Amino acid sequence: MCSSDLNKQLAICFGANPISTSFIANNEFCVCIEIADPRLQIQSRPALEKHIDQLLIEMRETAVKKLDSARRICVSADIWTKKGMSSSYLSTMASFYDVTTDSKENIVLAVRKFKSRHHTALNIIKEMDEALLQYQIPQHKFWKVITDSGSNMVCAFRDSSVLHEEEHEWVEENEAGRTEISYNYFRYNRLSCFIQTLLLCLKKFDARKLFDNLIIKLNTLVQKFSSSQVLT
């Protein structure tokens, strides 16, 4: 392996995992690389961060090309909140049939941090719009947006056209004062996540003692299958 290959792989590793880029200058880490091959030269922290940004641009360009060739696109959205409600993120993923590979393709489009602690329908739509605008996806390619059945998600995508008519411009505040920023908005047709809906239905059984014996027997049966090499 040459130094350029190593540095590219390090950029992928640091960019795809919650590792501080300052670790690239860690003495113990540098010694490990030197022991593995003294000829290898590790890039500096600024060079690593620049390399990560360049890889991100290349990956986004590749994603745009794949999405451009797709006939129909299904987008899924989900909210993840840190413990203590200190920060929240909206993840957006596109699923479609890739004609070049003759297979289903999943691309994570964005994981955006909410600027506000309030997960209102309007804030969800705003973050969703900003994430999708980066990929230049035409409106006619959207089929469905899959979300959980949270009231804010249901409201956001059920009434997205109404929300956009009411808030046709976002108003953001910067150092120079208040600035109005306009966006090209999308229209969404929402579909409930099947797995999450199924889990909610199964919870109904947990609340009824009538099914307790049946659930115990089924758990025993599942354990036998799980522990048996013959049955599995």
Side-chain angles (χ1 to χ4, degrees):
M1 177 183 288
C2 62
S3 295
S4 59
D5 291 336
L6 173 64
N7 287 323
K8 181 179 180 180
Q9 193 58 44
L10 285 173
I12 293 171
C13 179
F14 278 81
N17 294 282
I19 308 172
S20 173
T21 52
S22 61
F23 188 74
I24 197 74
N26 179 275
N27 289 331
E28 288 77 11
F29 177 72
C30 294
V31 169
C32 290
I33 298 297
E34 186 176 356
I35 292 173
D37 192 339
R39 296 170 297 176
L40 294 175
Q41 297 294 321
I42 304 176
Q43 58 194 341
S44 63
R45 181 180 180 181
L48 172 66
E49 292 173 347
K50 186 177 180 179
H51 203 160
I52 292 173
D53 291 338
Q54 183 59 39
L55 286 173
L56 182 61
I57 293 171
E58 292 175 4
M59 291 172 67
R60 187 169 292 158
E61 290 174 350
T62 302
V64 168
K65 290 179 182 178
K66 284 181 173 290
L67 291 166
D68 187 55
S69 64
R71 293 179 59 188
R72 299 285 272 175
I73 299 170
C74 182
V75 178
S76 59
D78 196 16
I79 295 175
W80 176 83
T81 304
K82 203 173 179 180
K83 286 184 179 180
M85 298 287 289
S86 58
S87 58
S88 300
Y89 301 84
L90 177 70
S91 64
T92 309
M93 183 174 73
S95 300
F96 57 94
Y97 176 76
D98 189 350
V99 294
T100 58
T101 60
D102 195 26
S103 62
K104 177 186 174 184
E105 188 86 21
N106 296 314
I107 297 178
V108 177
L109 302 178
V111 179
R112 296 180 61 89
K113 183 178 180 179
F114 278 97
K115 299 180 181 67
S116 169
R117 290 189 178 184
H118 304 291
H119 306 159
T120 63
L122 193 60
N123 286 337
I124 293 172
I125 286 294
K126 176 184 175 181
E127 296 297 337
M128 188 83 164
D129 281 347
E130 290 181 349
L132 295 178
L133 278 170
Q134 302 175 73
Y135 294 89
Q136 308 162 20
I137 307 172
Q139 176 67 50
H140 70 271
K141 286 194 175 185
F142 284 107
W143 180 62
K144 296 286 184 181
V145 173
I146 299 175
T147 75
D148 59 29
S149 55
S151 58
N152 52 351
M153 283 290 198
V154 173
C155 179
F157 296 105
R158 181 185 61 198
D159 302 326
S160 63
S161 59
V162 176
L163 290 169
H164 285 133
E165 288 171 4
E166 293 177 351
E167 294 287 336
H168 54 88
E169 292 182 320
W170 307 118
V171 180
E172 294 188 353
E173 198 169 322
N174 55 28
E175 295 178 358
R178 300 182 67 83
T179 305
E180 292 188 352
I181 302 176
S182 299
Y183 296 91
N184 296 318
Y185 298 120
F186 299 98
R187 299 294 182 267
Y188 305 102
N189 294 314
R190 179 185 166 275
L191 184 68
S192 293
C193 174
F194 173 76
I195 295 176
Q196 198 253 356
T197 304
L198 181 62
L199 290 173
L200 290 175
C201 293
L202 291 174
K203 281 186 177 181
K204 298 291 185 181
F205 289 91
D206 292 337
R208 300 189 63 180
K209 293 186 179 296
L210 177 64
F211 301 103
D212 284 353
N213 292 333
L214 177 60
I215 292 173
I216 292 172
K217 290 180 180 179
L218 289 174
N219 281 335
T220 304
L221 183 62
V222 170
Q223 289 174 8
K224 287 183 178 179
F225 271 88
S226 299
S227 59
S228 173
Q229 295 183 351
V230 178
L231 294 176
T232 55

